[in-house]
Amino acid sequence: MFILFFGISVHAFSQQSFIERIPDNYYLECRTGYGFLIPHHLELHELQTHFQSFELSVGYLSYGKQKWEYVYDFPRVGLSLWHSNFHNSEIIGDAYALHPYICFPWYGTPASRLTFRLGVGIGYLTKPYDPVTNYKNIAIGSHLNAAINLKLEYQHKLTDRLVVNGGVDFQHFSNGSFKTPNFGLNSPSVSVGFMYHPIKPNRFDRRKVLPELYMYEFDGKKFAYTALTYYMGIKDQSFRNGDKLLATAISVELVKPLNFKHNLGIGIDVAHYFPLSVDGKDQHLTKYGICGAWHMKLWVVSFDFAMGVEVFKPDEIYLGSMYERAAFKYHFDNGFYTYFGLKALYGRADFIMFGVGY
């Protein structure tokens, strides 16, 4: 009986059209843009150019299946592929970026609204700096980079399945000082496009009966908890080979949940840098800092932002460099989480962070 049922099910599925197999509320998006590179350092003026970009995305329009979806007014989430040849630049080459993204509604109705999109992913540049073959590209020193896309866009629904949009974008490439040079590429642009739902999306659902809370979600009680995070990364100090440091750090934060969306916290950071080469054995450095933090929660994922100041060295108290941390956390049911992000000094990349916490 089971074999017969399985055979009938497979046959029935095989008779379905491709469109019928697509899950609910998924969509395809295509857009094009026009922008320019910002010469944010004097040395980068030679790289300045105007260019056209293209972007393809597959995404999901949330409709209330999870609690966070209607708490954030039904955002869109997706995966985007971005490309530009920077007006056939012989110095920079082609750039590709793969961004997972989330698009938050800011103002308006489901039929016509202003949104903000954040995408963070991996970028690939075909012509990074090379001391012999491409010494003019002092913006980027590696093929692989972090890619960040910010987008303020207006969306207007023409039909239940078709949405047109237009907006202002900001695209950034950087390797987080993993390999110098790393001035980075910054490019604002304007873009237009459309989204198409192969299947009519589900209606938005604001459930009156809330789903079960997980241990990393806010339950309405007034409490605070301690979060311990260990992270590490590699920092390249100069154009020379073998001049890299391994950075390891511990962060301890006292976190206060404000509501289902946001947490605030204060913390202490201890970071130690030591050389990866024998020649740099005397370059050990330890930094201590205090910081304030803001966490934005999206179910099992949260965005963490912290800003702090170095407060003392082992032998003296002093007011040192400002530093910033921006990271993503993925939370597990047992309280552990993974940690990935960027640490910066006065807005300039220090190192890319990989870590775990509890």
Side-chain angles (χ1 to χ4, degrees), residues 147-250:
I148 300 174
N149 182 265
L150 307 177
K151 196 185 305 291
L152 181 66
E153 69 176 19
Y154 171 73
Q155 300 174 352
H156 182 75
K157 185 164 67 172
L158 297 180
T159 69
D160 288 334
R161 297 186 183 184
L162 184 62
V163 178
V164 294
N165 54 43
V168 180
D169 304 40
F170 181 80
Q171 180 69 44
H172 173 73
F173 290 94
S174 170
N175 63 33
S177 292
F178 178 80
K179 186 175 182 180
T180 54
N182 185 50
F183 287 120
L185 295 174
N186 297 315
S187 57
S189 63
V190 293
S191 64
V192 294
F194 67 90
M195 292 178 284
Y196 177 72
H197 291 261
I199 299 177
K200 181 179 177 180
N202 293 320
R203 296 178 59 184
F204 292 156
D205 179 19
R206 297 184 181 273
R207 300 186 180 186
K208 298 184 182 299
V209 179
L210 299 182
E212 179 184 356
L213 287 169
Y214 297 90
M215 67 176 300
Y216 43 79
E217 293 183 338
F218 181 66
D219 62 359
K221 298 179 181 179
K222 303 298 182 182
F223 70 99
Y225 64 91
T226 302
L228 175 65
T229 307
Y230 171 80
Y231 56 91
M232 61 189 300
I234 295 178
K235 176 182 176 65
D236 194 0
Q237 298 190 99
S238 72
F239 288 59
R240 297 181 304 168
N241 291 327
D243 199 14
K244 292 186 177 182
L245 300 177
L246 176 63
T248 61
I250 294 178

Side-chain angles (χ1 to χ4, degrees), residues 33-338:
Y34 186 81
F36 63 95
L37 286 175
I38 300 176
H40 54 285
H41 288 275
L42 181 63
E43 299 91 335
L44 300 181
H45 275 275
E46 188 172 353
L47 304 183
Q48 188 176 16
T49 183
H50 291 73
F51 62 89
Q52 190 174 6
S53 63
F54 301 93
E55 187 176 4
L56 294 174
S57 304
V58 58
Y60 167 79
L61 173 60
S62 62
Y63 61 94
K65 190 175 182 180
Q66 302 290 342
K67 180 179 178 180
W68 70 269
E69 296 180 357
Y70 58 82
V71 168
Y72 283 95
D73 201 20
F74 311 106
R76 294 178 182 267
V77 294
L79 182 66
S80 169
L81 177 62
W82 184 94
H83 169 255
S84 177
N85 63 7
F86 294 112
H87 195 61
N88 296 314
S89 172
E90 296 182 357
I91 300 175
I92 305 173
D94 286 50
Y96 301 87
L98 191 65
H99 305 110
Y101 69 82
I102 183 167
C103 185
F104 296 101
W106 268 10
Y107 178 79
T109 66
S112 179
R113 59 186 182 179
L114 185 68
T115 65
F116 172 74
R117 198 180 95 171
L118 169 65
V120 179
I122 298 175
Y124 183 84
L125 299 177
T126 59
K127 293 185 177 181
Y129 169 83
D130 184 274
V132 177
T133 62
N134 196 23
Y135 60 89
K136 291 185 178 181
N137 185 3
I138 60 173
I140 294 290
S142 62
H143 285 290
L144 288 178
N145 293 269
I148 300 174
N149 182 265
L150 307 177
K151 196 185 305 291
L152 181 66
E153 69 176 19
Y154 171 73
Q155 300 174 352
H156 182 75
K157 185 164 67 172
L158 297 180
T159 69
D160 288 334
R161 297 186 183 184
L162 184 62
V163 178
V164 294
N165 54 43
V168 180
D169 304 40
F170 181 80
Q171 180 69 44
H172 173 73
F173 290 94
S174 170
N175 63 33
S177 292
F178 178 80
K179 186 175 182 180
T180 54
N182 185 50
F183 287 120
L185 295 174
N186 297 315
S187 57
S189 63
V190 293
S191 64
V192 294
F194 67 90
M195 292 178 284
Y196 177 72
H197 291 261
I199 299 177
K200 181 179 177 180
N202 293 320
R203 296 178 59 184
F204 292 156
D205 179 19
R206 297 184 181 273
R207 300 186 180 186
K208 298 184 182 299
V209 179
L210 299 182
E212 179 184 356
L213 287 169
Y214 297 90
M215 67 176 300
Y216 43 79
E217 293 183 338
F218 181 66
D219 62 359
K221 298 179 181 179
K222 303 298 182 182
F223 70 99
Y225 64 91
T226 302
L228 175 65
T229 307
Y230 171 80
Y231 56 91
M232 61 189 300
I234 295 178
K235 176 182 176 65
D236 194 0
Q237 298 190 99
S238 72
F239 288 59
R240 297 181 304 168
N241 291 327
D243 199 14
K244 292 186 177 182
L245 300 177
L246 176 63
T248 61
I250 294 178
S251 175
V252 181
E253 290 184 7
L254 181 64
V255 182
K256 173 68 175 179
L258 300 180
N259 50 41
F260 187 84
K261 294 182 180 181
H262 307 296
N263 295 344
L264 290 180
I266 56 174
I268 300 173
D269 295 302
V270 180
H272 183 72
Y273 301 76
F274 57 91
L276 294 177
S277 63
V278 177
D279 295 337
K281 60 182 179 180
D282 297 327
Q283 299 182 28
H284 288 262
L285 175 65
T286 302
K287 297 182 178 181
Y288 305 84
I290 58 173
C291 68
W294 170 61
H295 305 166
M296 184 175 69
K297 299 172 292 181
L298 294 167
W299 194 35
V300 296
V301 177
S302 66
F303 304 136
D304 291 13
F305 304 92
M307 180 176 291
V309 61
E310 297 168 3
V311 291
F312 66 90
K313 295 179 181 178
D315 55 347
E316 63 177 308
I317 298 176
Y318 82 118
L319 188 63
S321 301
M322 295 287 295
Y323 65 91
E324 305 84 31
R325 285 187 285 111
F328 295 90
K329 289 180 180 176
Y330 184 90
H331 298 264
F332 298 95
D333 290 344
N334 57 9
F336 285 93
Y337 55 82
T338 58

